[in-house]
Amino acid sequence: MHKLFFKKKFDQYFLKDHNIAKKIVNYLSFENYNTVVEVGPGLGILTQYLLTNPCNHIFLIEIDKELISFLKKNFPISKNQIIHRDFLKWNPEEIQLQNFAIIGNFPYKISSQILFHILKYNQYIPECVGMFQKEVAKRIISYKGKKTYGILSVLVQTFYDVKYLFTVKEKAFLPTSNVKSAVIYLKRKNEIIYCNKNMLFQCVKIAFNQRRKKLKNSLRLFNYIPNFYEIPFLNKRAEELSVKEFIQLTKEIENRK
Ligand code: SAH
């Protein structure tokens, strides 16, 4: 019966292990928020555990029309909270959402873009629990000097404290997944980041796209800045800079504009 629903193009791998579903939902703290946005609810295995607490406000964002009808039929959630949309094109301001957690067993093909979308609206999102491909999860939690350290590590960790919760086997899904998965927890940092977000993103992306090069070479694009060479860290490579140092570097570039 479930077979009807599998769609490769939407990256559909439905979690079938209820203990794992419960565990994922239980990581939400509900500290200072009561609204949860679930990305890609599928057949609703996480949704059903989100609904066990009547105080929760839940919004579901699902791209597959058939699943939208299924969810509307099977879950006692107001119809306007079941949103038929590509999450990457969804803007929380459309429905005046300003303080909510994100949960999801994410479609893996677009998991980096999902993270970037969360970062775009980080001021509204204090917390996130999500399932990723294990290899991506490792990149999210990585730190300087490691091979897996890169754009995702720096940008996510600028705004969130990250925690690797647990690994999930291929067999926990229907159909069986081709890769191992992992659940990650993000908690927004208390300190406010005083550097320009766009510039930080630009700087980190350019730096890691040529990760072997010294920053003074890879960041040459910023060369319109007159006293560029006085900026610290330029003799290092992207993979040698900590998250804090990337923030500092961005501030330095900004100050010289
Ligand atoms: N959470 C469910 C389904 C996971 S599979 C479970 O654990 O069983 C990934 C889900 O994301 C599918 O339901 C798929 O249709 C949905 N999806 C894929 N791309 C999407 C997008 N861009 N926006 C919203 N949902 C998407």
Side-chain angles (χ1 to χ4, degrees):
M1 168 217 153
H2 282 157
K3 268 219 160 86
L4 272 177
F5 289 101
F6 300 153
K7 292 201 184 83
K8 272 253 156 69
K9 67 169 173 182
F10 293 140
D11 226 357
Q12 290 175 353
Y13 291 90
F14 299 117
L15 184 65
K16 60 180 184 188
D17 186 323
H18 283 259
N19 288 325
I20 294 176
K22 267 185 247 173
K23 220 165 131 182
I24 294 173
V25 171
N26 282 337
Y27 274 104
L28 289 174
S29 74
F30 289 100
E31 255 172 50
N32 306 319
Y33 68 86
N34 62 1
T35 303
V36 182
V37 171
E38 185 182 352
V39 181
L43 295 165
I45 186 165
L46 296 177
T47 319
Q48 74 185 77
Y49 295 106
L50 284 171
L51 284 168
T52 56
N53 181 345
C55 303
N56 303 346
H57 292 288
I58 298 170
F59 291 84
L60 308 177
I61 301 178
E62 171 59 62
I63 200 167
D64 184 345
K65 216 161 77 184
E66 275 187 75
L67 288 175
I68 288 285
S69 324
F70 174 89
L71 292 162
K72 284 185 178 167
K73 268 192 214 125
N74 289 283
F75 289 95
I77 302 174
S78 145
K79 299 258 181 296
N80 56 15
Q81 287 170 234
I82 303 181
I83 303 168
H84 180 213
R85 189 76 73 80
D86 176 350
F87 175 68
L88 302 178
K89 297 193 178 130
W90 178 75
N91 174 350
E93 290 157 359
E94 286 166 23
I95 49 170
Q96 285 83 45
L97 278 193
Q98 299 205 324
N99 189 31
F100 57 93
I102 292 270
I103 196 167
N105 166 13
F106 300 127
Y108 293 169
K109 279 184 215 145
I110 56 163
S111 56
S112 301
Q113 284 120 293
I114 288 176
L115 280 170
F116 291 135
H117 205 64
I118 291 172
L119 296 180
K120 183 170 173 189
Y121 296 108
N122 74 302
Q123 74 272 29
Y124 303 141
I125 307 172
E127 203 170 68
C128 169
V129 185
M131 177 115 68
F132 294 87
Q133 189 176 334
K134 185 177 175 187
E135 173 256 313
V136 174
K138 279 190 162 167
R139 290 201 267 134
I140 298 168
I141 58 157
S142 193
Y143 44 86
K144 79 167 179 182
K146 289 190 82 167
K147 255 198 183 150
T148 44
Y149 187 57
I151 298 171
L152 271 188
S153 339
V154 177
L155 294 182
V156 173
Q157 290 175 43
T158 296
F159 301 100
Y160 291 91
D161 288 320
V162 298
K163 199 168 167 196
Y164 187 100
L165 298 177
F166 55 90
T167 308
V168 180
K169 288 199 179 125
E170 294 87 334
K171 278 191 299 200
F173 301 90
L174 196 71
T176 301
S177 168
N178 306 317
V179 291
K180 284 208 172 8
S181 301
V183 180
I184 292 274
Y185 173 72
L186 309 179
K187 179 148 189 86
R188 193 172 55 201
K189 288 185 171 170
N190 288 327
E191 73 251 46
I192 302 163
I193 311 299
Y194 287 105
C195 76
N196 179 311
K197 206 163 158 183
N198 285 338
M199 195 172 276
L200 173 77
F201 276 55
Q202 202 181 342
C203 178
V204 172
K205 283 180 181 170
I206 294 172
F208 277 104
N209 283 338
Q210 297 173 298
R211 59 190 292 144
R212 296 276 135 92
K213 282 198 181 166
K214 287 190 175 168
L215 291 169
K216 66 178 175 201
N217 297 321
S218 56
L219 294 183
R220 208 165 256 175
L221 275 183
F222 289 110
N223 242 354
Y224 56 88
I225 305 153
N227 48 357
F228 188 67
Y229 287 101
E230 290 161 27
I231 296 176
F233 313 122
L234 290 185
N235 276 320
K236 291 193 173 188
R237 295 178 175 82
E239 55 205 12
E240 297 170 324
L241 242 61
S242 69
V243 175
K244 278 210 168 108
E245 288 168 339
F246 263 110
I247 297 170
Q248 204 183 324
L249 173 66
T250 308
K251 280 184 196 159
E252 297 271 358
I253 295 176
E254 218 182 320
N255 289 340
R256 283 163 172 77
K257 265 190 85 174

